[in-house]
Each structure stands twice: as structure tokens, then as C-alpha cells.
């Protein structure tokens, strides 16, 4: 990080709160690790139950709920004036100007099947967006952390997005929704996108996809119809690691698609994705 980078980030005093982003990042880190460790150890003993939400394939397990309960319970004690929004239904209004956005297990299908690509994502947000965030991958014991103007790290070491400069050499991650009609559109999009890039990867967690852009394990990620908790921490980590983070498809300023990419290919990939979506037919 250079001094100029820090000069661009508004200070806490410029906003309607005086909390240190570093303090919030530390809380997110500690709680993500505690919840992720609990879920990993619990999963090792098997799954007693799971329910479904928007579709028969959109599942929630006992550990999604237990992880969210652990995180929210701790936040209510440590940051009682903050708001909280959680994927599994937590909703607390705050007065501090800080709202926590929680995905207790992102990559739930992977968690259900015993696949390793799942994480805990916790972000603290203010009226400008994500202020601090942590994404913890329990199976590989990797902690991705960032705060506004502070850069991004994995297990304490600085990370940067890749320097790929040609779209045809870019390894691109994406994902698909739970609704069949949306998956049909997303599958059709791939026919135009796949030939234009090195290859695609579908890892199953938006938060992990964004952290992998941040450390160069993939060169870009795009997905439509995500939820705020899927991306609140990961998009900050990617941006603080030097990736371009752009919206698409939705109304200006309220995109329903997110794209994070190495700077050298961001504009080309954004153009390809938005042109592909604009050519969808309504059949
Ligand atoms: C998941 C996202 C992923 C998307 C999956 C699912 P969940 O969130 O992180 O990017 O492709 O369909 O929505 O449901 O595991 O919290």
C-alpha cells in the first residue's frame, strides 16, 4: 500500500461513525474463525438435518443456523448499537451507522456434500459500502481480510489480483442460481463467454470466488442474482487487492450482477458479459 492509497480512503471522521476499520476487521476475523471452526468440527460428525428455502436445492443446514447464531450473539454483545443482516434470517436495526452483513456458510451445497469449497463471510458496512470484512475457509485454514484503504491479506500476507492482460488467457470463475429459469439463461451465456477466455471454474461460493480473484488464483469472477451476504466481504477484499469490482445488468447504481477482475481484463470481460446478457432471448 502507498500513502496515496490511504489518502483516497475517507476517514472514519468523514462518516457518521468514529469506529476504526481495523477494529471491525479484527472482530470479523475472530468471529469468522470461531464460526467456521465450529461448523467444520460439527460437519465431521455428520449432518442430522437440513431444510430447503427458495427451491429444493437451496438448502440450509443446522450449521448454517448455528454459525449465524454464534456470530450474531457475539456481535450483539461487542457492538450492541450496530445493525445486523444474516442470510438465515437475522435482522437487527442499528443506530451506529455500522451494519454487519453475514453469510454463515457460503457454499452451502458444498458443505452439504462434504466438499471443501465453503466459507464464513462477515462484513461491516457503512453508508459508503463495505468497510471491513473477513472470509474464512475452514478446510484449508485460510483467512482473507480487508478494510477500506488497508489492502487485503490471506493469513496475514498481502495479496494482489493477477496481472493478466489478455482475456483469452484469463481463468474465470462464475456461478449459477437456484432457480431453473435463471440457470437456463446462465448456461446459455457460457456458450458466448467460454470460447473467449482460458477456461471457466464453478467453485460454488461467491465469497471464495472473490477472494480467489484477490489473490490471483482466478483472474476474474462474474455472477448474476447474488445476495448481499454472498459478496459484502469478498468484494471489499477483491477491491483492496487491486481488482476492478463492477456491477452489471441491473439499474444504474443497483446492479444485480457482480464482476471482479484483474485490471488488465476487467473492461473486456465486463463488455463481453453485458453484451451476452443483452442478447438473451425471452423464449
Ligand atoms: C451460493 C453463492 C454462489 C452461487 C450459489 C449459491 P449459498 O450461496 O455463494 O456464488 O453460485 O448458487 O447462491 O447459497 O451457498 O450461501
Amino acid at each position: 500500500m502507498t500513502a496515496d492509497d490511504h489518502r483516497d480512503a475517507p476517514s472514519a471522521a468523514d462518516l457518521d461513525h468514529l469506529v476504526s476499520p481495523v477494529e471491525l476487521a479484527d472482530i470479523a476475523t475472530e468471529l469468522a474463525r470461531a464460526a467456521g471452526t465450529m461448523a467444520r468440527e460439527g460437519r465431521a460428525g455428520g449432518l442430522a438435518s437440513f431444510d430447503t428455502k427458495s427451491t429444493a436445492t437451496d438448502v440450509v443446514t443446522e450449521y448454517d443456523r448455528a454459525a449465524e447464531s454464534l456470530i450474531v450473539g457475539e456481535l450483539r454483545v461487542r457492538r450492541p448499537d450496530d445493525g445486523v443482516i444474516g442470510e438465515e434470517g437475522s435482522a437487527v436495526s442499528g443506530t451506529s451507522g455500522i451494519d454487519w452483513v453475514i453469510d454463515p456458510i457460503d457454499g452451502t451445497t458444498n458443505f452439504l456434500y462434504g466438499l471443501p469449497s465453503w466459507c464464513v463471510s462477515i462484513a461491516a458496512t457503512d453508508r459508503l459500502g463495505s468497510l471491513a470484512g473477513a472470509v474464512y475457509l475452514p478446510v484449508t485454514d485460510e483467512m482473507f481480510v480487508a478494510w477500506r484503504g488497508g489492502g487485503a491479506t490471506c493469513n496475514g500476507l498481502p495479496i494482489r489480483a493477477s496481472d493478466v492482460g489478455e482475456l483469452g488467457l484469463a481463468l474465470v470463475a462464475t456461478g449459477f442460481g437456484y432457480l431453473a429459469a435463471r440457470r437456463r439463461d446462465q448456461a446459455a451465456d457460457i456458450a458466448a463467454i467460454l470460447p473467449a477466455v482460458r477456461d471457466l471454474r464453478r467453485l460454488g461460493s461467491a465469497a471464495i470466488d472473490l477472494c480467489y480473484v484477490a489473490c490471483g488464483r482466478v483472474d476474474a469472477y462474474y455472477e448474476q442474482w447474488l445476495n448481499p451476504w454472498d459478496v459484502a466481504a469478498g468484494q471489499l477484499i477483491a477491491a483492496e487487492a487491486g481488482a476492478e469490482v463492477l456491477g452489471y445488468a441491473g439499474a444504474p447504481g443497483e446492479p444485480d450482477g457482480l464482476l471482479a477482475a484483474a485490471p488488465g481484463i476487467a473492461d473486456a470481460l465486463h463488455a463481453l458479459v453485458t453484451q451476452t446478457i443483452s442478447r438473451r432471448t425471452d423464449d
Side-chain angles (χ1 to χ4, degrees), residues 10-12 15-17 97-99 124-132 148:
S11 70
L15 299 166
D16 43 9
H17 57 74
I98 299 295
D99 291 314
T125 67
D126 62 17
R127 58 189 171 85
L128 295 181
S130 297
L131 177 60
R148 189 181 292 154

Side-chain angles (χ1 to χ4, degrees), residues 54-55 57 176-184 186:
S54 63
T55 69
T57 58
F176 312 117
Y178 288 114
L179 297 173
R182 288 179 171 179
R183 295 160 72 82
R184 187 175 299 109
Q186 291 167 318

